[in-house]
Amino acid sequence: MTKESTLEKERIVVKEFQRLLRSGKDLSTESMYEDAGKKCFLHWRTAGNVVSRHYKTVITNEMREFAAELKEIEFSVLLKQFCDKFKVCKREGRLILGYIR
């Protein structure tokens, strides 16, 4: 398998995961990994690793600092402010904050 085909598979998995994440449906994370991985014939854990790597690279120092400054407030308030500031949906904000913590 070439590096280009691997990168293309990773892009497909991330794009599909984000589509599911932002769909508004109450899907489990595992089922979203599974569905995102199906298009590329990947096991849900492998798809989960791809998604995890992607989101860990998306996190900026500004996001880390913002979360650190507001760590003393209730999580639901932090989540709302984080989503508003960084223009992400609620589930995506929760995911990113989870990686930051």
Side-chain angles (χ1 to χ4, degrees), residues 14-30:
V14 169
K15 185 176 180 179
E16 182 63 15
F17 179 81
Q18 288 175 334
R19 185 188 69 74
L20 294 165
L21 187 70
R22 297 170 182 160
S23 70
K25 296 177 184 172
D26 189 24
L27 303 169
S28 72
T29 305
E30 184 178 310

Side-chain angles (χ1 to χ4, degrees), residues 4-47:
E4 291 80 23
S5 64
T6 301
L7 292 174
E8 184 59 28
K9 281 184 177 184
E10 289 179 359
R11 278 189 228 109
I12 291 168
V13 168
V14 169
K15 185 176 180 179
E16 182 63 15
F17 179 81
Q18 288 175 334
R19 185 188 69 74
L20 294 165
L21 187 70
R22 297 170 182 160
S23 70
K25 296 177 184 172
D26 189 24
L27 303 169
S28 72
T29 305
E30 184 178 310
S31 70
M32 289 188 292
Y33 290 155
E34 187 174 336
D35 288 347
K38 280 181 185 176
K39 288 189 173 190
C40 298
F41 305 102
L42 297 176
H43 187 272
W44 69 268
R45 286 187 180 139
T46 305

Side-chain angles (χ1 to χ4, degrees), residues 54-76:
H54 168 75
Y55 277 101
K56 287 178 181 179
T57 65
V58 169
I59 297 170
T60 64
N61 285 336
E62 182 182 11
M63 289 177 174
R64 284 187 180 89
E65 290 167 7
F66 184 82
E69 288 172 8
L70 300 177
K71 71 178 179 182
E72 300 300 321
I73 66 171
E74 186 178 325
F75 185 77
S76 61

